[in-house]
């Protein structure tokens, strides 16, 4: 279709939509819900967890929860359960453990959160061994993070690619990719790639995160939702995003033990490799 006629068609389509629009007032029966988000990694560090409450569309977007109590638990290979810590400081809804946590590979971890006499408990997730990136290369204009995938087990990965000016270390942007090892199980030269690499004279950095399946599925849904919410596609601005994917199911792994319903948010147990830096030639 010629560009003129295509623009005319889109213009008419937009006019029809807005001529039929009707102002709708937000519902008044809003019920606030607790949102919990955080993760624990294989690195020794303070544990940080954010707790908020949802808010109506016409209110100020800030409702931190500062009266929660948090407990971090672990279960070892012999199925012995231990309380690691329940000592946290809180600032504007962000809780931080008073001491650094040193997780153990092969243990399960979860949190219990109490807010207004309601207890929320995350699923028990295994802390898997980290998988290191062994090399990075550019093939057919795509940047690859290369690693050795363990043989005979199902693995799920999240890769963060970040790009910097090599002269002043100025941050230029980042890309994220998620993948399972269905197509490369046991491959010593497995790779995950991204098209955006910001040119040949840009410093590239990458970290590889080893996930549980539930965490992998959650982040996969988050990325799909973000892509669906983007206002542009290959054909330009899509009026009203009428052809966007429907909202994905972002159900987390934190259960309201009173109602047996999943709360909003997620507590992930993940292993992160050390950052791999690709120096431009």
């Amino acid at each position: 279709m010629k560009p003129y006629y295509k623009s005319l068609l889109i213009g008419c389509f937009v006019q029809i939509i807005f001529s039929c629009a009707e102002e709708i007032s937000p519902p008044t029966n809003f019920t606030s819900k607790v949102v919990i988000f955080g993760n624990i990694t294989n690195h020794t560090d303070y544990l940080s967890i954010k707790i908020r409450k949802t808010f109506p569309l016409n209110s100020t977007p800030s409702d931190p929860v500062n009266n929660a109590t948090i407990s971090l638990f672990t279960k070892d290979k012999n199925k012995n359960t231990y309380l690691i810590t329940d000592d946290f400081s809180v600032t504007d809804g962000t809780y931080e453990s008073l001491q650094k946590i040193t997780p153990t590979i092969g243990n399960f971890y979860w949190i219990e959160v109490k807010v207004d006499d309601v207890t929320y408990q995350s699923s028990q997730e295994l802390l898997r061994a980290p998988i290191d990136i062994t090399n990075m290369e550019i093939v057919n204009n795509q940047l690859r993070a290369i690693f050795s995938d363990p043989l005979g087990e199902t693995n799920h990965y999240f890769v963060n690619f970040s790009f910097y000016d090599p002269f002043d270390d100025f941050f230029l942007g980042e890309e994220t990719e998620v993948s399972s090892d269905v197509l490369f199980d046991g491959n010593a030269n497995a790779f995950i790639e991204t098209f955006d690499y910001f040119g040949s004279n840009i410093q590239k950095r990458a970290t590889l995160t080893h996930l549980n399946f539930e965490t992998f599925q959650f982040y996969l849904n988050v990325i799909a939702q973000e892509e669906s919410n983007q206002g542009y596609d290959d054909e330009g601005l899509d009026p009203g995003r009428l052809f966007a994917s429907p909202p994905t199911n972002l159900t987390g792994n934190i259960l309201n033990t009173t109602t047996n319903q999943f709360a909003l948010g997620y507590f992930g147990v993940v292993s992160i490799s050390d950052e791999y830096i690709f120096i431009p030639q």
Side-chain angles (χ1 to χ4, degrees), residues 218-258:
F218 178 79
Y219 284 118
L220 193 66
N221 288 342
V222 169
I223 291 174
Q225 190 61 56
E226 288 181 349
E227 292 177 349
S228 174
N229 288 337
Q230 290 177 355
Y232 295 87
D233 57 21
D234 294 338
E235 296 296 328
L237 184 64
D238 180 2
R241 299 297 295 156
L242 294 181
F243 304 106
S245 301
T248 53
N249 184 2
L250 295 180
T251 299
N253 67 341
I254 301 175
L255 187 70
N256 181 325
T257 60
T258 301

Side-chain angles (χ1 to χ4, degrees), residues 112-133:
E112 288 186 1
V113 178
K114 293 184 179 180
V115 179
D116 299 331
D117 296 325
V118 178
T119 300
Y120 302 88
Q121 181 174 306
S122 68
S123 300
Q124 299 181 15
E125 289 196 355
L126 175 68
L127 181 62
R128 300 176 180 272
I131 307 294
D132 292 327
I133 296 173

Side-chain angles (χ1 to χ4, degrees), residues 131-146:
I131 307 294
D132 292 327
I133 296 173
T134 57
N135 193 16
M136 290 175 67
E137 61 182 14
I138 298 172
V139 179
N140 297 325
N141 289 331
Q142 291 183 297
L143 177 63
R144 292 181 175 180
I146 302 171

